[in-house]
């Protein structure tokens, strides 16, 4: 099986080398950058599955790097590892679609557990453009097209539909969606998921072959009937 590729970005080289070795012992393929600018230059070559990202760095800070990464890649996982623990910083991290925000200092074993949990639940990658029922779904462009009419989706709606599309006819647990799209299963995010599902149903409604079925307290199932 191909190793999971991790890009570790932190200007504290001594602690980074310790974490780097720890990750390699666990079987991950690790590349290291000591600042955001270097990491951005390396990103296309490394093509990581995950970025472990400090915030306070010279040349380009972690928030700036995360913004650039998300403009290029919606799927790579981003974990902020930082001593910036203020509420505003955490909210900014998640607003940039970071998948987790881990305060320093932390136990390496805790980080490994979080990484394993993420990849255990991660959905298989889909082609950027696929047909669901009679609707064309383009994940990269965040749009659906039915009978010549194009409807644009939000980033959250796109992520949710991508997950459901990978399991057509199967139930996807709420927690799986929440963890992959929002990064945690808080009550506020659970309510937000309900809202996004409502919007998705409305967007897909013109196609009579598609439906999103709710299973109370469990999750959702995308059903397609082409008959």
């Amino acid at each position: 099986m191909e190793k999971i590729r991790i890009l570790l970005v932190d200007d504290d080289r001594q602690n980074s080398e310790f974490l780097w070795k720890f990750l390699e012992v666990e079987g991950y393929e690790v590349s290291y950058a000591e600042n955001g600018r270097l990491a951005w230059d390396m990103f296309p070559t490394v093509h990581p599955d995950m970025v472990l990202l400090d915030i306070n760095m010279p040349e380009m800070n972690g928030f700036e790097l995360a913004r650039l990464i998300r403009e290029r890649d919606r799927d790579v996982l981003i974990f902020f590892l930082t001593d910036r623990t203020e509420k505003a910083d955490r909210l900014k991290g998640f607003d940039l679609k970071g998948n987790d925000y881990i305060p320093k200092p932390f136990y390496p074993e805790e980080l490994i557990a979080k990484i394993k949990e993420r990849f255990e639940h991660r959905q298989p990658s889909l082609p950027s453009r696929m047909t669901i029922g009679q609707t064309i779904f383009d994940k990269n462009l965040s749009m659906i097209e039915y009978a010549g009419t194009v409807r644009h989706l939000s980033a959250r709606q796109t992520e949710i539909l991508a997950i459901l599309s990978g399991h057509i006819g199967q139930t996807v647990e709420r927690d799986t969606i929440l963890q992959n799209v929002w990064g945690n299963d808080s009550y506020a995010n659970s309510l937000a998921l309900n809202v996004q599902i409502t919007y998705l149903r409305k967007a897909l409604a013109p196609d009579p072959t598609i439906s999103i079925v709710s299973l109370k307290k469990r999750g959702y199932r995308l059903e397609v009937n082409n008959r």
Side-chain angles (χ1 to χ4, degrees):
M1 182 180 294
E2 186 177 354
K3 286 187 176 182
I4 292 170
R5 297 180 300 275
I6 295 177
L7 177 57
L8 173 60
V9 191
D10 195 323
D11 61 336
D12 185 337
R13 187 172 185 91
Q14 182 175 354
N15 286 335
S16 294
E17 286 182 350
F18 171 76
L19 181 57
W20 181 349
K21 292 176 182 177
F22 200 96
L23 290 164
E24 286 188 331
V25 168
E26 292 293 324
Y28 300 106
E29 181 179 316
V30 182
S31 299
Y32 171 70
E34 61 188 9
N35 62 65
R37 179 64 62 188
L38 179 59
W40 180 236
D41 291 340
M42 293 171 59
F43 188 83
T45 303
V46 175
H47 194 63
D49 301 294
M50 167 176 279
V51 181
L52 301 178
L53 183 56
D54 188 25
I55 294 176
N56 292 329
M57 294 183 293
E59 298 195 42
M60 180 189 293
N61 70 39
F63 287 146
E64 292 170 340
L65 177 59
R67 178 181 57 79
L68 291 174
I69 288 173
R70 275 292 174 253
E71 289 175 356
R72 174 176 287 183
D73 191 326
R74 293 177 179 271
D75 298 324
V76 64
L77 295 177
I78 298 175
F79 278 18
F80 289 102
L81 310 178
T82 178
D83 55 8
R84 290 176 58 165
T85 58
E86 295 295 324
K87 179 181 178 181
D89 292 322
R90 296 175 65 89
L91 290 175
K92 184 172 183 178
F94 286 118
D95 186 57
L96 290 167
K97 296 183 175 58
N99 300 97
D100 210 333
Y101 197 102
I102 302 173
K104 292 180 179 179
F106 56 84
Y107 292 107
E109 294 86 353
E110 175 189 4
L111 175 61
I112 293 297
K114 284 177 174 285
I115 293 173
K116 287 181 177 178
E117 190 271 339
R118 288 290 179 162
F119 284 103
E120 183 178 85
H121 293 290
R122 196 174 188 186
Q123 307 306 318
S125 60
L126 294 169
S128 63
R129 191 175 177 89
M130 64 183 298
T131 301
I132 309 169
Q134 298 174 13
T135 295
I136 297 170
F137 171 43
D138 193 313
K139 184 174 68 171
N140 288 351
L141 296 179
S142 294
M143 54 80 74
I144 55 175
E145 180 180 348
Y146 172 72
T149 299
V150 173
R151 292 174 174 81
H152 294 281
L153 305 175
S154 70
R156 301 288 196 200
Q157 292 158 20
T158 300
E159 292 177 63
I160 294 168
L161 186 55
I163 293 171
L164 295 176
S165 299
H167 297 83
I168 292 176
Q170 302 174 23
T171 300
V172 181
E173 300 292 330
R174 288 181 63 88
D175 285 353
T176 297
I177 299 174
L178 288 166
Q179 290 291 344
N180 279 274
V181 177
W182 278 274
N184 64 75
D185 58 356
S186 71
Y187 179 69
N189 288 340
S190 184
L191 293 178
L193 172 57
N194 295 341
V195 172
Q196 296 303 325
I197 289 290
T198 298
Y199 283 130
L200 263 182
R201 284 185 173 129
K202 185 176 181 180
L204 295 168
D207 185 347
T209 68
I210 301 175
S211 61
I212 298 177
V213 178
S214 298
L215 291 94
K216 189 173 182 180
K217 296 184 179 181
R218 285 190 57 197
Y220 300 96
R221 183 171 63 241
L222 181 64
E223 295 187 346
V224 176
N225 183 358
N226 287 315
R227 291 181 296 176

